Each structure stands twice: as C-alpha cells, then as structure tokens.
Amino acid sequence: MVLSRRLAASLALVAVLGVAPSSHAVSGAAVLEAGPERFGGEYYASLTPALMLDTEAVALELRAPFRLRLNGTLSRERGFFRREDWDSLSDTGRALHRLDVILGQRTFVARLGALAHQRLGHGTLVCDYGNSSMPDAQPLGLSARLSVGPVATEVLAGNVLGLDLTAVTLGLEPLSLWGEPNDRMHLVTSAALDWKAEAVSAQRFGVFGISLDGTMLRTSAVKLAPYVDFNSSSRGGHGLHAGLLADFSIMQVDLSLRGEYRHTRGPYQPEYFDVAYPLERKSALIEPSALALGEIAKADVPWGTNDTWRAEARLRAGPISFAGQLASRGRDPFTRAQVHDASGVLSVEAGPMSVSGFAAARQFAWGHNPARVLAMGELRYRINPYLHAWTIAGHQYRLRSEGETAVWQLGGGIGGALGF
C-alpha cells in the first residue's frame, strides 16, 4: 500500500511537469541500504530506503537517508538523528535524488536533483560544477537543454529553492541557417550569476561571455576543433580563452584532449563556477599572513593580470571511464606563488563489481601542499540480482561560523533491491 502511494505521488509529479504518459511500461525497484559509518569523528548507523522508477521518458529516484547516532551520550546531547542532514531546504536533494526527463528524441533533456560534473559550453564559465561538495547540504539542482533546429539553450541552477548559481547559454549553428543541418561551427553566448557571493561590496557576482568554435578536421577517427571564448566579470575583470579540442576514436577507445591558453585580468577567475564552488564561495583561500585583511569572498579575491593554461583528458575504454584536468590559476595575490588546480574522476565497471572515485587538489604550488583536498571513493559488489555490498570513503570540509573543519567519512554495508 505504501509503494502504491509513492508510485501515485511520483506520477503526480510527472503530471505537474507536463510530461505526457508513456506507453512504455513502468519498471522500478524498492531499495534498502544499511550499515555502519564513521563521519566527522562520530559513529552512526546509516539507513537509506529508496524508490526508483523508470519509463521511456522519465526516470525517478527518491531517497530518505538517515544517520542514527550509536553513542548514547552524544545521542542525548545532540539527538538520535543527525539533524544537519535534514535541517533546511538546502537538503531537498537528499530526498529527490534524481528526476530525469527526456522528450522528443532528446530534443528536451532535464535533470532535477543532485548535480555533479556539470559543464556549459567549453567550460570557461561553468566547469565540472557539482552542488554536493558541502556535507551538510544537498540542494535541489536543475540542469536542462532544449534543441530546436540550429538553436540550443542550456540552463543550470545549483539550488532552485535558494539561489546561488544560475547559468544559461544560447547557442547557434550558423551554417545550418542556409540549408541542411551543419554542426561544424557554433556561436554561443552565456551568463552565470552568483546571487549570494557574500562580497564585501555586497553585490551579486556575474560572468558573461561569447564563444566561437569550428571543426577544421573531422574523420571517423579524428576530430579537431579550435575555439575562442571572451568572458567579462561584473567586477570589471575579463578573460580571453583560446584552445583546441581533439577527439580520437580508435577501436573501442574514445579519447578527448583539450589544451587552453588564458589571458586574464582580475578579479576575473577562470572556471569560477567549478568543482569546489559551493565551498570556496563562502571561504576565500587566504594565507594566514593575509588574515588581517579580513574575510574576503571568492568573488573579491584580487587576482591580477595572468597568463595561464589548462590541460584536460577524457578517456572511455571498455569498462573504464576517466576524466582529469590540470590548470594554472595564476599568481596568488597574497603569496605571489603560481598556484594550480587538479581533479580527476574514475569509474570502472567489471562484472559484478563497480568502482568510482573522485579527487581534487585546490590552489597548490609545485612542491607545496594544496590549500584543500576533496576526495570520495565508492566500491559496490553485486552478490546476486537482489543483494549487493558497498563501501565508501571520503574527505570533505564543513564550514561553520568558527571556521573550516576537515571531515573524514568511512562507511559500508549491505543493500537489497526488490524489482517491480
């Protein structure tokens, strides 16, 4: 009876979004995962019931993750449930983990829920953005794309119930305006806004850009496409990005490479909306010697004129998927050292076992420790169609009024699924 009510609620949600019922039969599963977990120095029993539904046009995943304290004294002092997981609207994404809508042979594609590794255009404004790098918040995000003929628009919102990142692009295939569809050239305008930059000047922060790319070589094995982006900041800075995209497809191996040169003038920052944006927007990376200057928001860090670069590789070979990047951010305005960012994502599917991992090092100079390291790894093993085991480990950061605290996570357990 409970399952029937949840199914009815999910179908009502689809109706609200205006999605027509599909003739494709509904399939889904009820899932329950449970196991011990150590998080932030405390021990918990982790319990996560979930419901998954799938049709031709809609995929839905609802979750209700709870952490139950195992220490009796801490339970009496702080509560049996870990309240930080459910104490604000910014946790809505924990419940509606994923709602995917695909219409008109992918003419319209949208996702509502948790977001990870989102990119708009060439990634010079929004690159590998995710809205769940803060352990005490899981906002409800939105990513959508609509393509009609030679025109395509993309929309991204990091938190639809409490605005932070909002971004939009409008792209045109100019060569498609005078005949058959032709995607060898793209002209794109874009804008990305930080509604709560928490800046000293108390202004919203925005970045606006225009980009152009063209395919100069395309065969079954190789594609080469140079591009150029010009972006400007509402704070007055700007950046010129020029790069080359190279795609190779050989046998069962797909490899994408990108090299980019950037000439930037502060306070503009390349990839301001990136993998660590939710964390760094609240806490600028300032060396102890500069603390006397006071708290400075990320949007107001006084980056000067810099000539920097970015290198990226994406690989798909059989069960292995990998994406990695290394970029120079320029000369740190406080230490005057050249600092860099690096990140990587790995996924391996090998029979009943799947492994995924993510790591990022933020603002490091060669031979020196990075300002922050974010990491998360997960392993799952399918014992049979109805039972699986999992383990997870990670390193994150919590921001509170008294400062920043590193958080270690280690957990595991057993999960069961019942399909219908």
Side-chain angles (χ1 to χ4, degrees):
M1 192 66 179
V2 173
L3 184 60
S4 299
R5 289 198 296 268
R6 289 181 176 174
L7 178 58
S10 66
L11 294 179
L13 180 60
V14 171
V16 169
L17 293 175
V19 180
S22 169
S23 60
H24 182 72
V26 175
S27 63
V31 181
L32 178 63
E33 292 187 344
E37 181 183 27
R38 178 177 169 83
F39 182 84
E42 295 188 52
Y43 290 93
Y44 298 89
S46 173
L47 183 66
T48 305
L51 176 65
M52 303 177 187
L53 296 172
D54 187 20
T55 73
E56 186 177 352
V58 177
L60 174 68
E61 182 176 348
L62 301 174
R63 292 184 178 182
F66 293 100
R67 291 187 174 104
L68 314 178
R69 284 190 170 87
L70 298 178
N71 183 291
T73 302
L74 292 177
S75 295
R76 288 188 294 272
E77 293 176 353
R78 304 178 185 179
F80 183 51
F81 296 94
R82 186 176 185 271
R83 288 189 297 266
E84 292 92 331
D85 292 336
W86 294 98
D87 61 356
S88 70
L89 284 176
S90 64
D91 297 313
T92 314
R94 300 188 198 276
L96 180 54
H97 185 72
R98 179 173 63 100
L99 174 62
D100 292 339
V101 179
I102 302 174
L103 300 175
Q105 296 181 333
R106 302 191 72 83
T107 298
F108 175 75
V109 178
R111 165 165 289 192
L112 189 65
L115 301 178
H117 310 296
Q118 298 291 316
R119 172 179 298 197
L120 293 184
H122 303 131
T124 59
L125 293 188
V126 179
C127 183
D128 290 337
Y129 165 80
N131 66 351
S132 54
S133 62
M134 301 280 285
D136 292 338
Q138 179 62 82
L140 191 64
L142 171 67
S143 173
R145 176 182 174 87
L146 175 65
S147 301
V148 180
V151 180
T153 184
E154 293 182 78
V155 176
L156 182 67
N159 185 352
V160 298
L161 300 179
L163 291 176
D164 44 35
L165 163 63
T166 302
V168 61
T169 68
L170 180 64
L172 174 69
E173 297 176 0
L175 300 181
S176 298
L177 296 174
W178 296 279
E180 296 296 323
N182 189 323
D183 66 347
R184 296 181 68 90
M185 182 179 292
H186 303 90
L187 178 65
V188 180
T189 60
S190 55
L193 299 177
D194 183 342
W195 297 86
K196 299 177 182 178
E198 299 178 356
V200 173
S201 55
Q203 297 177 358
R204 294 168 181 162
F205 176 75
V207 189
F208 312 92
I210 185 169
S211 65
L212 176 68
D213 65 60
T215 303
M216 66 180 186
L217 173 64
R218 179 162 56 193
T219 68
S220 59
V222 181
K223 176 183 176 182
L224 298 177
Y227 66 89
V228 60
D229 287 22
F230 181 79
N231 305 326
S232 62
S233 162
S234 62
R235 295 290 198 273
H238 62 261
L240 176 66
H241 304 244
L244 177 66
L245 300 167
D247 298 323
F248 304 92
S249 182
I250 304 173
M251 303 294 286
Q252 300 298 317
V253 177
D254 294 324
L255 175 64
S256 296
L257 302 175
R258 178 169 78 151
E260 180 181 287
Y261 159 79
R262 296 94 65 93
H263 177 76
T264 60
R265 179 178 179 180
Y268 172 87
Q269 300 177 52
E271 296 100 35
Y272 175 86
F273 300 98
D274 60 12
V275 67
Y277 158 77
L279 178 65
E280 292 178 353
R281 71 190 289 268
K282 293 186 176 181
S283 177
L285 300 181
I286 300 177
E287 291 294 317
S289 60
L291 287 179
L293 297 177
E295 183 70 13
I296 299 179
K298 182 180 181 181
D300 288 324
V301 175
W303 293 92
T305 299
N306 284 288
D307 291 286
T308 61
W309 52 268
R310 175 185 176 90
E312 183 178 304
R314 297 174 181 266
L315 172 70
R316 183 179 296 274
I320 301 175
S321 297
F322 171 79
Q325 65 89 15
L326 175 64
S328 169
R329 186 165 289 273
R331 192 173 295 278
D332 186 284
F334 303 110
T335 66
R336 308 309 300 166
Q338 288 286 342
V339 294
H340 305 79
D341 297 330
S343 66
V345 181
L346 175 67
S347 175
V348 181
E349 298 281 348
M353 184 174 67
S354 63
V355 180
S356 58
F358 159 76
R362 303 293 297 174
Q363 294 202 344
F364 63 91
W366 299 119
H368 296 79
N369 293 329
R372 289 188 180 93
V373 174
L374 303 171
M376 185 64 67
E378 184 177 34
L379 184 148
R380 290 179 172 268
Y381 185 83
R382 188 176 65 253
I383 301 171
N384 59 47
Y386 309 102
L387 190 65
H388 62 272
W390 57 275
T391 183
I392 190 170
H395 183 253
Q396 305 167 73
Y397 294 88
R398 299 179 67 187
L399 289 181
R400 295 179 174 178
S401 57
E402 62 268 23
E404 180 178 290
T405 303
V407 177
W408 288 94
Q409 178 182 6
L410 179 61
I414 297 294
L418 180 62
F420 57 88

